[in-house]
Amino acid sequence: MTTLKVVRGTRDLLPPETALWNRIEATARRVFARYNFGEIRTPIFEDTSLFARSVGEETDIVSKEMYTWEDRARAQSEKSQSLTLRPENTAGVVRAYIEHKLGESGQLQKLYYIGPQFRRERPQKGRYRQFWQIGAEVIGPPSAGSESPVRDTEILEMLATLLDELGVSGWTLELNSVGSSADRERYNQALREALVPVAPRMCADCQRRAATNPLRVLDCKVPEDQPIIATLPRIADFLGEDSKLHFAAVIAALDAAGVPYHLNPRLVRGLDYYTRTTFEFTHGGLGAQNALLGGGRYDGLSEAIGGPKAPGIGFAMGLDRLVLTLQAQEAERKTTPRADAYIAPLGENLNAAALALARELRRAGLTIELGDGSFRLKKSFEAAGKIARRIVILGEDELQSGILTVKDFASGVQLKVPRGELFAILAK
Ligand code: ATP
Ligand code: MG
């Protein structure tokens, strides 16, 4: 008998890795609670038309990546129905918001979810057919302030805090505004015209998108198309006065809160429902799949699926990619030297002076490795290089003059440092 294997693009998650997944989820729940979000759990499958009407017929997700099937009627009274494994969770949350009339409370709804999503993509590192997202949405009637730029910056600031608390270092916030649906309509028209002469030189997908959904051309990842894309009109030049003011307010509040960002005029995101603020948090360590999370505002989504006016903003974070990032960071931490310095006494008669120096620096808060005066200098250098970022040489001369020799391994720079300045140099 052939052995059965896990389906392509899906994975088993086993201990000890699952401990990291649990830690990330627990941190997210804790941070969301501080911002007063509550958890929502929607079904894993929904009516297919929910995604067609929200994510958009012309997006890659709906046009080629969904797991859709015709669910047979089990009784005369039932109809067969087209169902789809959810490819994302915002549509389900907004459907639930409408179905449970959550808007009637007059309050903003602040909801988060954690769960698997399904897309038939080409599996590769950081890209799977079943993957996990942690996401949150702020949605409500305009009278509750759901359109306010305050909501945008609060979400972005929360994400910066969450990534910091998770210990993700080196993230970048990419930020753009895609305007109101009217702004986008005018931009789409301009794009469509600009694409007529150049589209024939672009990839097959872009040729199709140029006619059906020109905005999607900006998502293209084909390298040869990038120089052409760089010449296309920019959305920033098509924003109406309201959208401009809204975006300016978001940026000003981020500056005031000290959240760093990078303006990226080409960031349009792969789902049709976004309006105004759109963003991604990226990480260099992920290679081609560099987006840790994506999100934005969706002021018209509720109405597009038959609900009341309910502007909102949200994001979805890829848990699989977060795990990869934290694992890579941990591996790097293990292989890079961690002590601030290694003190190498030159001769056994200097062991006591080396201990005194180590004691002083450790008490000041540094991590110090203490060498051994019986080691030859070469052996001290080898030992130091494996466990510390620098070596401090303490010989008879150094003891007399009070000037120590410090070598930094990463830069290769060797310095003479007066003992009084040693702490400041090593603490850098
Ligand atoms: P990408 O450009 O990487 O395909 P996307 O724009 O399709 O991302 P969204 O639909 O906004 O992504 O989903 C939000 C996040 O979910 C992404 O930033 C990513 O971290 C994660 N994600 C999306 N698709 C996958 C997948 N197939 N496998 C793993 N994670 C994914
Ligand atoms: Mg995608």
Side-chain angles (χ1 to χ4, degrees), residues 340-366:
D340 296 306
Y342 178 105
I343 298 176
L346 295 183
E348 288 183 60
N349 57 327
L350 289 157
N351 277 341
L355 177 62
L357 178 60
R359 174 175 157 89
E360 181 187 319
L361 295 170
R362 285 167 174 159
R363 289 195 157 213
L366 296 180

Side-chain angles (χ1 to χ4, degrees), residues 113-168:
Y113 59 82
I114 300 180
Q117 317 293 335
F118 306 85
R119 297 181 194 175
R120 191 186 288 105
E121 300 198 72
R122 191 169 70 75
Q124 51 198 295
K125 185 185 170 205
R127 194 177 291 290
Y128 313 99
R129 291 181 169 178
Q130 172 172 334
F131 60 98
W132 289 70
Q133 285 184 335
I134 299 180
E137 317 290 348
V138 179
I139 179 171
S143 60
S146 55
E147 279 173 300
S148 165
V150 171
R151 305 280 71 96
D152 306 40
T153 32
E154 186 183 32
I155 283 255
L156 292 168
E157 188 278 322
M158 178 172 83
L159 283 166
T161 298
L162 174 57
L163 290 177
D164 288 346
E165 287 195 21
L166 286 168
V168 177

Side-chain angles (χ1 to χ4, degrees), residues 24 33 51 54 68 76 84 126 136 162 165 171 181 222 227 241 251 257 281-282 293-294 310 376 380 385 390 401 426:
I24 294 173
F51 303 112
S54 56
T68 297
Q76 288 281 305
T84 292
L162 174 57
E165 287 195 21
W171 51 262
S181 56
V222 175
E241 210 46 43
I251 287 172
F281 281 71
T282 58
L293 67 92
R376 287 171 171 275
S380 291
R390 312 172 183 95
S401 65
L426 299 182

Side-chain angles (χ1 to χ4, degrees), residues 60-61 65 119 121 127 221 270 321:
D60 283 355
I61 295 176
E65 296 172 358
R119 297 181 194 175
E121 300 198 72
R127 194 177 291 290
K221 306 249 160 67
R321 292 186 194 174

Side-chain angles (χ1 to χ4, degrees), residues 49 79 115 164 182 186-187 204 216 222 246 287 315-316 347 374 380 394 397:
S49 55
K79 278 206 203 108
D164 288 346
R186 287 188 298 124
Y187 179 57
R216 294 275 71 83
V222 175
H246 194 277
F315 67 87
S374 69
S380 291
L394 185 62
D397 289 351

